[in-house]
């Protein structure tokens, strides 16, 4: 009796072609730390060369436990034995492998892997990542910071401090009765006769926001670029009304005026708005982002790069933006790790599509955990010239700042109107 032989099956982790050398991925794991209070997730990819490893940003603050599980239990094991240079093939394999693909959890896990592989590529080449993308078309990325306050006066005082520090661009948010607007403190109990006295009243917001920018132009002058984030809380008609009311104050952009669920109406809104419309931070699919650009609904694309899968898909969107006249303004507040911020800046300085970059002033604990964190100078972010991202992760320091299920995860579901209805976060 002839011996039965199992069919030759290539392991999923083995590439369908021989690599040119013996370098292989030997380990993939997630690292979670919260040096500023918000959970940050990074992925470390190790190789068979003990001194060669890479880091990538996989931060999805509100669901960081799910991202860690995806990295450690699902995505990581698929990469063992692969050559780290095969970035395009590896990222496509990970993207397609789950059958029900996409979404911010899986894409954040993919982003961490993808950015770590680009970090390794830069280290192997002895080049910063932006040089792998074609080199600089500008020296640095012009940035903006957030100014806010419970009152218009407090918000403008905060903005003046930012301008005095050398910045030319400010996002303005002022509070109001109840919770105020997103990104600014409000007045507790602002609607005492309402079922939910700490609620957010859209009509109050529509009345007060033009007053904020009228005062801003009077106090701050004509030169600064001013922005405002609605944070998805208006209907299309309300957003058009706000945009037209703000026309005299020449906003650099109006951010996220309508909810993600209404993005099919962005072309209508964009056509009616007198200032550029910036959207995209809630988009969790490169295909959805591409349709957003190609469909004419956006002037500035504000993706959270971790949510779409990392640098590899983002650089393709950058090319699409360049060809269609859309600018980039990547999402980068405190819930983007310094590695994710470095990825943003690598794209900023290497692409003609760049418009402006959201900035964040990292406190000392973050710099302790992430040596090499980018430091703005005179309102500009310069990329590191060290190979890869030029940023390390001190895991002993990271362990000093453990992440917990942060209150931020529950806060967004509690933003209500005075009548008690939940507002879009």
């Amino acid at each position: 009796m002839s011996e039965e032989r199992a069919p030759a099956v290539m392991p999923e982790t083995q590439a369908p072609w021989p690599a040119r050398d013996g370098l292989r991925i030997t380990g993939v794991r997630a690292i979670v730390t919260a040096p500023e209070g918000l959970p940050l997730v990074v992925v470390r990819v190790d190789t068979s060369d003990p001194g060669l490893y890479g880091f990538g940003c996989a931060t999805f603050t509100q669901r960081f436990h799910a991202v860690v599980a995806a990295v450690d239990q699902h995505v990581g094991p698929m990469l063992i034995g692969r050559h780290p240079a095969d970035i395009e093939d590896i990222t496509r394999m990970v993207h397609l492998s789950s059958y029900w693909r996409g979404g911010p959890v899986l894409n954040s896990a993919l982003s961490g892997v993808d950015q770590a592989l680009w970090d390794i590529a830069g280290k192997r080449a002895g080049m910063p990542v932006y040089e792998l993308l074609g080199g600089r078309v500008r020296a640095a990325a012009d940035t903006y910071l957030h100014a806010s306050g419970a009152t218009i006066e407090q918000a403008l005082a905060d903005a003046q401090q930012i301008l005095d520090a050398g910045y030319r661009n400010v996002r303005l948010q002022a509070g109001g009765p109840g919770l105020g607007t997103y990104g600014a403190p409000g007045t507790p109990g602002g609607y005492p006769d309402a079922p939910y006295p700490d609620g957010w009243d859209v009509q109050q917001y529509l009345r007060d926001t033009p007053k904020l920018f009228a005062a801003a132009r009077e106090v701050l002058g004509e030169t600064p670029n001013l922005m405002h984030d609605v944070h998805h809380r208006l209907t299309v008609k309300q957003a058009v009304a706000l945009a037209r009311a703000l026309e005299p104050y020449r906003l650099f952009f109006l951010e996220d005026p309508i909810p993600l669920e209404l993005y099919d109406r962005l072309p209508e809104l964009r056509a009616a708005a007198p200032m550029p419309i910036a959207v995209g931070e809630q988009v969790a699919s490169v295909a959805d982002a591409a349709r957003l650009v190609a469909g004419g609904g956006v002037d500035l694309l504000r993706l959270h790069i971790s949510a779409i899968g990392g640098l590899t898909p983002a650089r393709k969107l950058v090319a699409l933006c360049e060809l269609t006249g859309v600018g980039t303004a990547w999402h980068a507040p405190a819930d983007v790790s310094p590695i994710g911020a470095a990825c943003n800046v690598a794209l900023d300085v290497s692409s003609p599509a760049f418009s402006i970059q959201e900035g964040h002033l990292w406190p000392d604990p973050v710099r302790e955990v992430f040596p090499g964190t980018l430091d703005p100078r005179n309102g500009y972010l310069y990329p590191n010239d060290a190979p890869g991202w030029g940023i390390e992760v001190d895991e002993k320091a990271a362990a000093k700042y453990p992440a917990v299920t942060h209150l931020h995860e529950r806060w967004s579901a509690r933003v209500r109107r005075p009548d008690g209805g939940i507002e879009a976060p």
Side-chain angles (χ1 to χ4, degrees), residues 159-180:
Q160 189 63 63
Q161 288 186 341
I162 291 171
L163 296 174
D164 291 344
Y167 290 82
R168 293 153 296 282
N169 316 292
V170 181
R171 193 193 79 176
L172 276 176
Q173 312 289 135
L179 287 178

Side-chain angles (χ1 to χ4, degrees), residues 86-100:
D86 295 334
I87 301 175
E88 184 73 33
D89 190 63
I90 289 172
T91 55
R92 282 183 58 79
M93 176 189 71
V94 173
H95 174 68
L96 297 170
S97 65
S98 64
Y99 188 71
W100 286 282

Side-chain angles (χ1 to χ4, degrees), residues 20-333:
R20 63 182 176 274
D21 58 41
L23 186 66
R24 296 291 184 271
I25 296 172
T26 58
V28 180
R29 57 189 174 89
I31 302 166
V32 184
T33 184
E36 199 175 356
L38 293 174
L40 303 175
V41 183
V42 296
V43 172
R44 174 167 172 149
V45 174
D46 288 292
T47 73
S48 52
D49 179 342
L52 182 62
Y53 53 86
F55 293 109
C57 181
T59 300
F60 178 13
T61 293
Q62 292 83 358
R63 297 293 183 270
F64 70 93
H65 290 299
V67 175
V68 170
V71 170
D72 291 346
Q73 299 179 34
H74 300 290
V75 173
M78 299 174 61
L79 273 63
I80 305 303
R82 292 297 306 266
H83 197 291
D86 295 334
I87 301 175
E88 184 73 33
D89 190 63
I90 289 172
T91 55
R92 282 183 58 79
M93 176 189 71
V94 173
H95 174 68
L96 297 170
S97 65
S98 64
Y99 188 71
W100 286 282
R101 47 194 181 257
V105 172
L106 290 178
N107 278 343
S108 293
L110 173 56
S111 173
V113 166
D114 175 79
Q115 292 181 37
L117 294 177
W118 280 98
D119 192 23
I120 290 171
K123 291 173 179 176
R124 293 181 71 218
M127 299 162 60
V129 172
Y130 72 82
E131 290 191 357
L132 301 180
L133 301 178
R136 298 192 198 200
V137 298
R138 59 182 50 81
D142 200 7
T143 64
Y144 69 91
L145 295 182
H146 305 166
S148 65
T151 65
I152 290 176
E153 293 75 20
Q154 291 173 2
L156 297 185
D158 193 19
Q160 189 63 63
Q161 288 186 341
I162 291 171
L163 296 174
D164 291 344
Y167 290 82
R168 293 153 296 282
N169 316 292
V170 181
R171 193 193 79 176
L172 276 176
Q173 312 289 135
L179 287 178
T181 61
Y182 173 82
T187 305
Y191 302 96
D193 297 326
Y196 199 86
D198 291 333
W200 181 81
D201 187 332
V202 63
Q203 297 303 324
Q204 181 85 41
Y205 168 74
L206 291 172
R207 289 192 298 270
D208 287 352
T209 303
K211 299 176 185 177
L212 166 65
F213 283 89
R217 283 301 179 203
E218 183 176 345
V219 173
L220 304 177
E222 299 297 318
T223 303
N225 290 320
L226 302 180
M227 289 141 270
H228 182 67
D229 186 0
V230 180
H231 216 254
H232 318 98
R233 293 186 183 169
L234 298 179
T235 66
V236 175
K237 286 289 189 181
Q238 290 167 346
V240 169
L242 177 64
R244 290 177 174 171
L246 294 173
E247 181 175 9
Y249 314 115
R250 298 169 304 286
L251 268 64
F252 189 85
F253 66 63
L254 184 65
E255 180 181 348
D256 287 330
I258 60 176
L260 178 73
E261 293 79 6
L262 299 181
Y263 273 13
D264 61 314
R265 297 185 65 186
L266 275 171
E268 170 189 344
L269 170 60
R270 183 185 177 211
M275 74 283 291
I277 299 298
V279 299
E281 70 183 60
Q282 286 190 322
V283 173
S285 158
V286 65
D288 287 345
R291 283 189 285 269
L292 191 62
V293 173
V298 58
D299 294 291
L300 300 177
L301 190 62
R302 274 190 48 72
L303 297 175
H304 183 87
I305 289 181
S306 293
I308 62 162
L311 176 63
T312 297
R315 69 189 183 97
K316 299 173 184 178
L317 288 169
V318 163
L320 179 61
C321 287
E322 181 182 346
L323 293 172
T324 54
V326 172
T328 64
W330 307 122
H331 185 239

